[in-house]
Each structure stands twice: as structure tokens, then as C-alpha cells.
Amino acid sequence: MWQADTALATLTVVTISSLAATDLEIVGYCRSYVVRVLVITGAGVSAESGIPTFRGKDGYWRNLDPIKLATREAFARDPELVWQWYRERRKRILNAQPNAGHEAIARLAQRAGEFLLVTQNVDDLHERAGLGKTETVQIHGDIFLTKCSRCDFSCAGRDGSPEPPDAHAREPESGRLRSIVPFSENDGNLPRCSECNALMRPGVVWFGEPLPVRETQRVENYLQRDSCGAVIVAGTTATFGYIINWALRASRRGGELIEVNPEETPLSRFATRLVRESAALALPRIVDQLIN
Ligand code: OAD
């Protein structure tokens, strides 16, 4: 059985006959401790939906050079090549479906007292599995967002389209309709910002760029408010220090740290439970254990 659950059960039995105010506080503390969850996901969670990972034998970076596709310098050098890669990825994502791993995480969100998903994935499969925007931090951005490469104008792509936004696109924050120069594959036009005429670019974080401030702050706020009873890290090589840092801080008061990954990562040695299986196989079972 889940360790923290057992701790709660034991404490409740011991104190049930003589519940003083302090005991009640302890029980209350344990309850909130048990039901607070942080889930961190990476490309491996979408692998079984047919979205390639980045590293590993079938990953994008196996035969594509990230420096030629996922940096500002690459975009400055060859924006058409970069847009082409992102358009292909948008198409692939639009044709994919959430898998049992995404669905299990969405189920956990419904049952946890407090829940936050931090995903490095720029796809929308967590959202399509049922997770709300307030429960999700897309720390590496959103592939369906198109933003100006110079000013701070950005807009969401058309629903159901792999294209960058049409001549009229809706701003994600205000819902205002704005016009941009549309992208057309045939005439080689790239989308341009209606505000400053600079090229529009995909709304993702590239190598060498800082993480989005607001999203980072949402993670920090969640971690600072309290620790978590369960932290699940699934489908990521945990290449970036902040991923390990957030997982360790969230589980700092003895919360369970569960890693779901067929392979070892730098996080593995800190995990209290290693699940060397695929996310679609392991997550439904782990979530069942946590919520039952
Ligand atoms: P990676 O491609 O680095 O790693 C994928 C991880 O998923 C590996 O550890 C695999 O062992 C594991 N994996 C593969 N299939 C799996 C499955 N079915 N179930 C569970 N795990 C599986 O992807 P990320 O760690 O997400 O950044 O990469 C982090 C970041 O590096 C990405 O967000 C992207 C990339 O460059 C940016 O674009 C900024």
C-alpha cells in the first residue's frame, strides 16, 4: 500500500480515542499532506500516442540537430526550415490521441486534494485527456501558440489546424481578434506580426532561452505553499536541473517520489519507487493505487 496512506491510517487509529486539538491538527496536516500531488511529465508520456521523444534511439535528436531547429540562431538563419519542422509536428500531434497515461493523470487530478502537472511537452494531449489549464504548467511552451519573434504579441493557432494562425487569430489572454499576415505554404510567406512586422515563431522554449516567468512562478508558488504526499515523474530524461530540483523540493517532507521510465535517469537515485515500465502501462495502475 502507498506509504503515506499507511501513515495516515496508523495515526488516525492511535489518536482516535483521545483527540486533542493538537491531534486534530496533526490528522488534518497528514490528510492535506497525503492528497497533495505534483506530476512532472516529459516526451516519454506521449511516445505511446505516436509522438517521438527527443533523445533515445527513436528520438528527434537522433538524426536532427537541435542547434539547426530549436534555437533563435536557427530561426534567424532559416525560418522556413524551422517552421516546416514545427508544422509537421503540429500535424502529427493533431492526428494523435491521448493514451492511457494521459488519462490516468487526468483522473488523478480529479481525485487529489491539490494537484499540479508540470509538463515539458508542448503538445495538447494532457489537455485533451481532460486536464484544465489551471492544473497544468507547460514549462517549455505550447506548440499551437504562435508568438512574435520581436515584441510580446502572441496568438493561438486555429482549432484543428496545424497551420500558424490564419489572417485573424484570437489572443489567448484577452480573446481579442487580431490580424496577422497569414502563413501560406505555396508562396513561401511566413507569418508576420501585425504589431511590428517581425516574423512570428512557434510559442515554445528553445535551447538557450529562459523559461517563461509566469509559468515558473506558478510552479514556485505551488512548491512554496506546501510539500506533496506524492510526486510522479514520468517519461523524462530529467536532463534539466530544474526538473530534479522541483521533484525533490515537492517530496521534501517524506512524500513518495515515483519515477516512471523504462530507463535510468539522474533522478532515479532519489526516487522512493522506480517503475521501469512504459507510462501508458504503469500510470493507470499507480493512479489506482493512489486514489483507492
Ligand atoms: P527525452 O526525449 O529527453 O526523454 C524521453 C524519456 O522518456 C526517456 O528517459 C525515455 O527513457 C522515456 N520514455 C520513452 N518511452 C517511454 C514510455 N513509453 N513511457 C515512459 N517513458 C518513456 O524527453 P524529455 O525529457 O521530455 O525541450 O526532454 C526534455 C526536453 O528536451 C524537451 O521538452 C525538449 C527537449 O529538447 C525543449 O524543446 C526546450
Side-chain angles (χ1 to χ4, degrees):
M1 195 189 202
W2 188 27
Q3 195 184 330
D5 244 338
T6 316
L8 173 62
T10 312
L11 187 69
T12 309
V13 170
V14 169
T15 58
I16 203 90
S17 57
S18 57
L19 279 178
T22 47
D23 298 325
L24 283 170
E25 278 163 22
I26 293 167
V27 173
Y29 168 75
C30 277
R31 186 167 296 125
S32 70
Y33 168 84
V34 166
V35 296
R36 203 160 195 271
V37 177
L38 175 72
V39 177
I40 300 177
T41 61
V45 166
S46 295
E48 284 153 288
S49 294
I51 313 293
T53 59
F54 293 94
R55 298 166 188 84
K57 66 176 174 51
D58 299 320
Y60 278 122
W61 300 149
R62 183 180 55 97
N63 51 18
L64 294 175
D65 181 355
I67 306 303
K68 290 200 181 118
L69 291 169
T71 60
R72 281 188 199 195
E73 294 72 27
F75 188 69
R77 205 170 32 239
D78 195 345
E80 286 197 44
L81 176 72
V82 173
W83 260 123
Q84 191 188 348
W85 189 56
Y86 279 94
R87 289 181 68 246
E88 279 166 20
R89 287 177 59 199
R90 284 178 172 184
K91 268 186 202 155
R92 191 187 271 266
I93 293 165
L94 284 167
N95 290 329
Q97 298 303 324
N99 64 51
H102 297 108
E103 281 157 12
I105 293 169
R107 203 152 44 87
L108 180 58
Q110 281 173 358
R111 297 290 295 271
E114 266 195 283
F115 178 93
L116 188 70
L117 167 74
V118 178
T119 183
Q120 297 163 87
N121 299 345
V122 296
D123 65 47
D124 61 352
L125 296 179
H126 282 298
E127 188 181 343
R128 281 198 266 146
L131 268 184
K133 284 204 186 298
T134 56
E135 299 163 314
T136 309
V137 171
Q138 278 189 296
I139 200 68
H140 290 166
D142 173 352
I143 198 168
F144 293 109
L145 200 70
T146 297
K147 64 182 186 183
C148 179
S149 58
R150 189 188 298 147
C151 73
D152 58 6
F153 175 64
S154 69
C155 43
R158 282 179 297 171
D159 279 351
S161 165
E163 305 293 340
D166 205 347
H168 290 94
R170 206 170 280 283
E171 282 183 350
E173 292 293 315
S174 64
R176 257 188 318 159
L177 276 176
R178 301 289 289 270
S179 64
I180 62 164
V181 179
F183 180 94
S184 156
E185 203 174 2
N186 300 329
D187 64 11
N189 274 347
L190 293 174
R192 285 193 174 270
C193 176
S194 61
E195 302 287 304
C196 72
N197 204 39
L199 283 177
M200 299 290 279
R201 54 163 280 186
V204 300
V205 177
W206 282 331
F207 287 103
E209 291 187 319
L211 295 178
V213 174
R214 206 173 55 175
E215 298 305 276
T216 309
Q217 198 53 53
R218 288 180 60 209
V219 182
E220 287 298 327
N221 290 346
Y222 191 72
L223 295 180
Q224 279 165 21
R225 249 195 338 269
D226 205 348
S227 57
C228 295
V231 179
I232 302 175
V233 182
T236 177
T237 42
T239 306
F240 301 111
Y242 47 85
I243 296 299
I244 297 182
N245 176 290
W246 289 336
L248 296 184
R249 280 168 59 204
S251 58
R252 64 190 179 269
R253 291 207 192 107
E256 188 153 21
L257 175 49
I258 305 168
E259 181 178 64
V260 179
N261 197 316
E263 290 176 21
E264 189 171 343
T265 78
L267 187 76
S268 301
R269 67 194 178 96
F270 300 108
T272 56
R273 191 167 148 196
L274 289 169
V275 185
R276 296 271 173 252
E277 290 173 37
S278 84
L281 203 64
L283 285 171
R285 192 181 66 243
I286 293 168
V287 167
D288 280 346
Q289 286 165 359
L290 293 182
I291 64 185
N292 290 329

